[in-house]
Amino acid sequence: MTKYQLVGIGNAVVDVISQCDDHFLTRMGIDKGVMQLVEQERGEFLYGQMENRVQMPGGSVANSVAGVGALGLSTAFIGRVHDDKLGRFYAAGMAEDGTDFVNAPVPGGELPTSRSMIFVSPDGERSMNTYLGISSELGPDDVPDDVARGAEILFLEGYLYDKPKGKQAFERAAGLCRAGGGRAGIALSDPFCVDRHRADFRRLVQSLDYVIGNEHEWKSLYETDDLGRALEQAAAESGLIVCTRSGHDVVLVQGEETVTVPVNPVTPVDATGAGDQFAAGFLYGLATGQNLQVSGRMGCIAAAEVIGHYGARPEADVMALFKAEGLV
């Protein structure tokens, strides 16, 4: 059985990034600063409108896993791509980043490989238009038993709950991981995802080992405008909860211990991937036995690095940044 320090399961999406101004967003009918799902025809149209586009393997949890892999841990990702040009690009890109992409590209007549057209405006806001394609067809048969059972930590993407097959894949992977002695947790993904799957996510908070979300997701989960009340309820139900707050202190709660980690404000070049790389830094700390304060600080450093450039994955040596802060 292959052992991995971190295994992720989620949408395998090629990120396609292009710069634009607000007038372009208005002209294209794109809502600024949010993620919208688009159909295949709309996705192909927007792809064709992108100038000087840059492509890279993406997907929320995949970005986190790549960040952890770049820090030197053994990582794998469970996802679904088509055997087309973008799918082969994705599989090769994950391997180049040091992460085992454990599912071969799927041949035949299924949907194309998923892609997210990300338009970055001058203020650093990113407007994401995502065509889910074949990644949304991920199912339990795509979960290799030995990979999930061999995971020391499993990281699950909340977006998978949008389809029953994804939900089954997710729960099968979590069950195998925990049966093998590993820890399984989830990223809540976004407030609208929480709205769609509140009952399932409430159950997962109680049954998984850790849950990562931002303040809007936690408030949505517990249907309150009072973040303190939401986190108090979450902490009573979960082993470990993490709450990020967009440039404000990060809160981590485990049992009777509550830790607040200060955030150094950074003007973003591109906010894409801030949450994904926070999760990467935090999970690196968790995987290597760091305490909550250090793990949270690692998450903040990784997030600050990624918003300093275009793209959702680290470019600098994040380990060197940890060392500069005296964390390792």
Side-chain angles (χ1 to χ4, degrees):
M1 180 171 63
T2 305
K3 297 288 285 186
Y4 293 100
Q5 289 161 291
L6 178 71
V7 174
I9 176 170
N11 286 305
V13 183
V14 176
D15 284 341
V16 189
I17 301 174
S18 177
Q19 299 177 50
C20 73
D21 56 23
D22 288 353
H23 176 68
F24 176 88
L25 296 177
T26 302
R27 190 159 50 87
M28 290 293 123
I30 296 170
D31 289 342
K32 183 176 179 177
V34 299
M35 193 282 283
Q36 292 179 292
L37 296 179
V38 298
E39 297 300 323
Q40 184 174 352
E41 184 177 349
R42 169 76 168 164
E44 290 174 351
F45 169 75
L46 291 176
Y47 185 83
Q49 296 297 311
M50 304 182 87
E51 295 183 0
N52 302 315
R53 56 181 178 245
V54 177
Q55 295 182 171
M56 59 198 70
S60 177
V61 163
N63 289 335
S64 300
V65 171
V68 173
L71 288 164
L73 300 192
S74 57
T75 56
F77 182 68
I78 299 168
R80 193 171 178 88
V81 297
H82 187 70
D83 188 12
D84 54 18
K85 187 175 181 180
L86 279 181
R88 292 187 291 273
F89 167 82
Y90 190 96
M94 290 296 286
E96 287 170 14
D97 285 343
T99 291
D100 287 350
F101 187 64
V102 298
N103 304 88
V106 179
E110 279 202 75
L111 297 169
T113 294
S114 310
R115 75 283 312 261
S116 181
M117 281 64 68
I118 303 169
F119 297 92
V120 183
S121 41
D123 58 3
E125 280 284 352
R126 82 270 196 224
S127 307
M128 304 171 70
N129 296 261
T130 302
Y131 167 60
L132 285 178
I134 196 174
S135 72
S136 64
E137 297 301 310
L138 184 80
D141 292 344
D142 294 308
V143 178
D145 287 18
D146 60 333
V147 173
R149 194 178 287 116
E152 293 180 14
I153 295 176
L154 182 72
F155 190 34
L156 307 159
E157 185 174 305
Y159 288 124
L160 285 186
Y161 261 70
D162 279 335
K163 283 204 171 182
K165 284 199 297 188
K167 178 178 175 180
Q168 292 161 15
F170 189 116
E171 299 199 341
R172 183 164 180 271
L176 287 166
C177 170
R178 300 186 87 199
R183 291 176 284 179
I186 183 176
L188 294 176
S189 293
D190 76 22
F192 302 108
C193 187
V194 174
D195 288 343
R196 292 192 295 270
H197 307 292
R198 185 172 289 107
D200 280 326
F201 284 0
R202 286 287 302 274
R203 179 175 54 80
L204 287 168
V205 168
Q206 298 174 46
S207 63
L208 296 179
D209 299 292
Y210 65 92
V211 183
I212 302 174
N214 64 35
E215 58 183 319
H216 307 295
E217 292 155 5
W218 284 115
K219 288 192 286 190
S220 173
L221 187 63
Y222 291 100
E223 298 180 277
T224 177
D225 290 329
D226 185 335
L227 180 62
R229 181 180 300 171
L231 296 184
E232 186 177 341
Q233 193 164 350
E237 296 178 353
S238 177
L240 170 59
I241 65 162
V242 182
C243 176
T244 59
R245 298 191 297 152
S246 298
H248 299 285
D249 294 353
V250 175
V251 180
L252 305 94
V253 186
Q254 186 170 34
E256 297 298 312
E257 182 183 8
T258 298
V259 168
T260 301
V261 179
V263 172
N264 299 325
V266 176
T267 301
V269 172
D270 171 15
T272 307
D276 303 341
Q277 293 311 315
F278 172 86
F282 167 75
L283 290 170
Y284 176 84
L286 191 67
T288 55
Q290 306 295 333
N291 62 35
L292 293 185
Q293 183 73 41
V294 170
S295 297
R297 184 76 194 114
M298 287 175 162
C300 292
I301 291 169
E305 187 281 332
V306 82
I307 66 174
H309 57 77
Y310 289 102
R313 297 190 177 185
E315 290 183 354
D317 182 345
V318 177
M319 180 60 71
L321 299 178
F322 290 171
K323 289 177 180 175
E325 291 267 342
L327 300 179
V328 291

